[in-house]
Amino acid sequence: MKVLVTGGTGYIGSHTCVELLQNGDEVIIADNLYNSKPEVVERIASISGKAPVFYEADVTDKAAIRKIFAEHQIDAVIHFAAYKAVGESCKIPLRYYRNNLDSALTLLECMQEAGCKNIVFSSSATVYGPNNPVPYVEEMPTYVATNPYGWTKVMIEQILRDISTADPEFSAVLLRYFNPIGAHESGLLGDDPSGIPNNLMPYVVRVASGQLEKLTMYGDDYDTPDGSCVRDYLHVVDLAKGHLKALDYAVNHKGAEAVNLGTGNGLSVFELVDAFEASTGVKVNRVVGPRRDGDLPQIWAGTEKAEKLLGWHAEKTVEEMCRDSWNFVVKSRE
């Protein structure tokens, strides 16, 4: 199968490209390198033994995306390309709405022109909003997001449902991620954002390696067992493998389906940092700060639908997530 992966040099996208190539699929990447590095393409090829086709292209650029579809008979698309930081989206909401919605609409219009009718969409657990009880299950309402980033995911999910209703041949799988961490076991791929990290684990490893002075953990007074936020952390390689299962489902079914990808287990911020120290033997200089806008006390996934519909479940442990995250930093220094 020939698959276009937008945002394919990013954290989740690059790991998914490896899994696709190792599965025997042909991979075309479109990425503007906004939050990634060009050497990732070589690393994907080094791990998988096969090089993806790479276009340095912004997915909001219709001419560039049309060119890709014109040059390749693309069977399906996995759409990762988006801005993704919750806190940042609250500070610059217009930029998030413009980029995330424009990229999705441009891509979908180009797919329609080319007759490509299969898409796996990178959605998020943020679509569940503040009013649903945990664990989150796919049948819950998703119309009260707590931040602009989450709203862009809600809106794009609705666009995909509407297209699926209008076109009976269209197929979309809406993958609602929880909290991916970890790195490829080779140490060649990992979460390496530009600038100061917005997510917990890349911040932890940069503090542990001395690149940053301290880790600020936002809030210790939530209604949770230890007062810190609880999240559902899953290994990025497990998540990447979930995309292959979703892709297989998409090309063999019609309509739009939302599916959670998580472990089904909650782990607090304090517990995750403790697990990192225990599994790596490296201490993290940490302090507690005030709560952060847009954070919910606890989030974890109901995973029955992923198991039933896709035949997927997370396999890797928290210790593996922590060790692989640290190994990526160690290898990057060599």
Side-chain angles (χ1 to χ4, degrees):
M1 185 161 33
K2 189 170 285 193
V3 185
L4 172 62
V5 182
T6 70
T9 60
Y11 175 44
I12 304 170
S14 61
H15 286 83
T16 301
C17 287
V18 166
E19 296 299 324
L20 287 166
L21 289 164
Q22 290 179 334
N23 189 54
D25 296 306
E26 294 183 57
V27 173
I28 300 99
I29 296 173
D31 200 308
N32 64 1
L33 303 177
Y34 170 79
N35 195 32
S36 59
K37 298 175 174 63
E39 55 263 31
V40 169
V41 178
E42 296 176 6
R43 294 177 182 180
I44 291 169
S46 176
I47 294 169
S48 62
K50 184 179 179 183
V53 177
F54 175 69
Y55 290 84
E56 186 174 344
D58 193 308
V59 186
T60 64
D61 182 347
K62 184 170 280 189
I65 303 306
R66 274 179 173 154
K67 181 175 183 288
I68 294 171
F69 276 96
E71 293 179 355
H72 302 275
Q73 285 292 110
I74 293 168
D75 300 300
V77 174
I78 303 179
H79 181 42
F80 293 105
Y83 296 160
K84 63 174 188 175
V86 168
E88 184 182 63
S89 78
C90 296
K91 296 174 183 176
I92 51 171
L94 278 178
R95 196 178 304 175
Y96 268 68
Y97 285 116
R98 171 62 71 185
N99 181 76
N100 292 7
L101 295 176
D102 266 7
S103 59
L105 290 168
T106 298
L107 176 65
L108 289 164
E109 286 169 352
C110 291
M111 288 177 64
Q112 190 172 59
E113 290 172 3
C116 179
K117 295 179 182 289
N118 304 304
I119 187 169
V120 175
F121 172 55
S122 171
S123 191
S124 166
T126 58
V127 302
Y128 288 109
N131 300 322
N132 288 310
V134 289
Y136 292 157
V137 295
E138 292 84 353
E139 293 75 25
M140 288 176 171
T142 57
Y143 298 105
V144 192
T146 59
N147 54 75
Y149 163 76
W151 274 116
T152 67
K153 297 299 186 182
V154 170
M155 292 173 182
I156 295 167
E157 281 197 6
Q158 187 59 48
I159 290 167
L160 290 167
R161 288 192 196 93
D162 290 342
I163 296 172
S164 298
T165 299
D167 182 356
E169 295 300 307
F170 192 81
S171 177
V173 180
L174 323 174
L175 292 181
R176 295 172 178 169
Y177 309 159
F178 282 70
N179 289 73
I181 59 174
H184 194 270
E185 63 181 4
S186 66
L188 293 176
L189 295 177
D191 197 352
D192 189 21
S194 303
I196 303 297
N198 289 296
N199 295 326
L200 178 59
M201 185 55 80
Y203 211 110
V204 167
V205 296
R206 290 191 185 185
V207 172
S209 65
Q211 296 173 265
L212 294 171
E213 178 189 359
K214 62 185 177 183
L215 169 70
T216 300
M217 298 182 289
Y218 297 104
D220 62 354
D221 59 350
Y222 288 98
D223 185 16
T224 60
D226 62 17
S228 68
C229 289
V230 171
R231 295 291 182 265
D232 187 338
Y233 297 99
L234 74 156
H235 200 292
V236 66
V237 172
D238 279 337
L239 180 60
K241 290 177 178 178
H243 287 76
L244 269 66
K245 296 285 190 179
L247 193 63
D248 183 63
Y249 183 87
V251 299
N252 289 292
H253 296 78
K254 307 301 177 188
E257 286 284 354
V259 183
N260 291 338
L261 293 185
T263 66
N265 299 305
L267 194 73
S268 78
V269 171
F270 293 173
E271 288 173 326
L272 181 65
V273 179
D274 288 344
F276 177 86
E277 292 183 339
S279 59
T280 65
V282 181
K283 292 296 181 183
V284 178
N285 181 26
R286 44 176 146 161
V287 297
V288 175
R291 294 186 182 193
R292 184 173 57 179
D293 289 343
D295 279 343
L296 297 176
Q298 48 189 359
I299 297 170
W300 68 83
T303 59
E304 290 184 6
K305 187 172 182 179
E307 182 77 57
K308 181 178 179 181
L309 205 70
L310 306 182
W312 176 91
H313 63 273
E315 297 179 346
K316 292 182 178 287
T317 65
V318 175
E319 289 72 26
E320 288 175 292
M321 299 176 205
C322 293
R323 285 198 300 267
D324 288 343
S325 295
W326 181 240
N327 182 51
F328 173 65
V329 173
V330 172
K331 292 286 187 182
S332 298
R333 291 168 160 180
E334 295 176 353

